[in-house]
Amino acid sequence: MSGVDEPSRAPKTLCTFDSPEALQQYATGCDADVGGTSTMQLSLDDSTLKPTGKLWGDLKLAVRPEFKGRVLGGYAGFRTMFRKNLFGEMMHDLSNHDYLALRVRMRGSKRLKNSYFVNLQTEGYVTTDLWQHRLYFGRDDGDWEDVYIPISAFVLTNNGEIVDTQMDILRERVRSVGISLLGGKSGMEGPYELGIESIRALNSDDIIPSSSIIEKDPSRGTQWQRGPL
């Protein structure tokens, strides 16, 4: 018996940012949408050989007077838009991939270095549930680097709080992928700029030839975020 293909473990591109058309595939938002005073833009950066995306603005904790005590300032971000076809909503199947790979560079205020998060939303009844992992940067010079996050290391959150009862992420039904900047709860604000080239799903075989896991390789600007695999 033949004809049944093995599930593909080849690298899968989830997000690109190399054209105006690509940027139209993302929903953006910040606290200014609900009464805050932060600013944000997701724009094309064509200052390099290959155009990339740039999330930038000014993160502010203050909110407009009429919203004081009602909303929390200090957040901005983007996510892929939900996709539909004739058969319903289209999902990303990441069941055959172990890592998210992000090609990014962080500029702006270094005080915000630990305030970036990667977000995955899966199919489910609770629309405010998000799977999150902090986006750790290995470089301090504002240059490009590759960050690899184990998908199994993402934590289930709801409205920014870690959910008490954790569960395995539904890898085969991922609705959206995104990045957020959350400075409100840590009291961090300032100008920010995140350059982003791509977000991909892949496996360790696509990155290193051996089975050993490298925590950080400064010569390549590569950082491994090791989680509970």
Side-chain angles (χ1 to χ4, degrees):
M1 183 175 177
S2 62
V4 179
D5 294 331
E6 289 290 329
S8 175
R9 291 175 57 83
K12 179 183 294 187
T13 299
L14 307 177
C15 304
T16 59
F17 304 84
D18 56 358
S19 68
E21 293 75 22
L23 297 188
Q24 291 177 7
Q25 305 305 309
Y26 302 97
T28 61
C30 70
D31 58 62
D33 300 330
V34 293
T37 59
S38 296
T39 62
M40 72 144 296
Q41 291 191 55
L42 179 62
S43 60
L44 193 68
D45 184 356
D46 56 6
S47 62
T48 56
L49 293 177
K50 177 183 178 182
T52 57
K54 182 171 71 171
L55 179 72
W56 60 283
D58 196 0
L59 200 70
K60 299 180 180 180
L61 300 177
V63 300
R64 298 200 295 270
E66 64 269 29
F67 292 96
K68 192 172 183 179
R70 296 166 51 194
V71 301
L72 184 67
Y75 74 84
F78 70 87
R79 63 162 173 82
T80 54
M81 291 184 178
F82 301 143
R83 306 172 300 153
K84 293 182 180 287
N85 60 19
L86 292 176
F87 305 100
E89 191 169 353
M90 299 170 62
M91 304 281 178
H92 293 295
D93 184 355
L94 307 184
S95 57
N96 296 302
H97 298 83
D98 294 329
Y99 292 90
L100 281 193
L102 299 95
R103 180 72 172 167
V104 291
R105 68 178 178 187
M106 194 212 77
R107 295 179 173 178
S109 174
K110 292 185 177 181
R111 298 180 69 239
L112 296 171
K113 183 176 182 179
N114 294 322
S115 299
Y116 289 89
F117 289 82
V118 182
N119 308 313
L120 298 176
Q121 185 178 21
T122 60
E123 185 180 47
Y125 295 108
V126 184
T127 58
T128 52
D129 277 354
L130 278 181
W131 296 84
Q132 291 190 319
H133 194 288
R134 194 183 301 273
L135 177 54
Y136 291 105
F137 299 93
R139 303 186 69 125
D140 289 318
D141 58 1
D143 207 348
W144 291 98
E145 61 182 305
D146 297 294
V147 179
Y148 303 99
I149 306 175
I151 296 174
S152 60
F154 279 78
V155 174
L156 180 60
T157 68
N158 184 280
N159 288 320
E161 300 290 341
I162 296 177
V163 174
D164 291 335
T165 303
Q166 293 290 307
M167 61 188 72
D168 293 334
I169 186 171
L170 190 62
R171 296 189 186 205
E172 63 270 24
R173 304 291 290 176
V174 175
R175 300 182 70 199
S176 69
V177 183
I179 295 177
S180 57
L181 181 59
L182 306 176
K185 291 189 176 181
S186 58
M188 297 296 179
E189 60 182 359
Y192 63 91
E193 179 184 321
L194 177 70
I196 179 163
E197 178 185 291
S198 63
I199 301 177
R200 297 179 298 148
L202 41 71
N203 293 292
S204 57
D205 291 343
D206 304 312
I207 308 167
I208 55 175
S210 66
S211 59
S212 61
I213 300 299
I214 303 171
E215 293 297 334
K216 185 179 178 183
D217 182 355
S219 66
R220 295 175 55 197
T222 300
Q223 185 177 359
W224 290 83
Q225 299 309 321
R226 196 180 187 94
L229 300 177

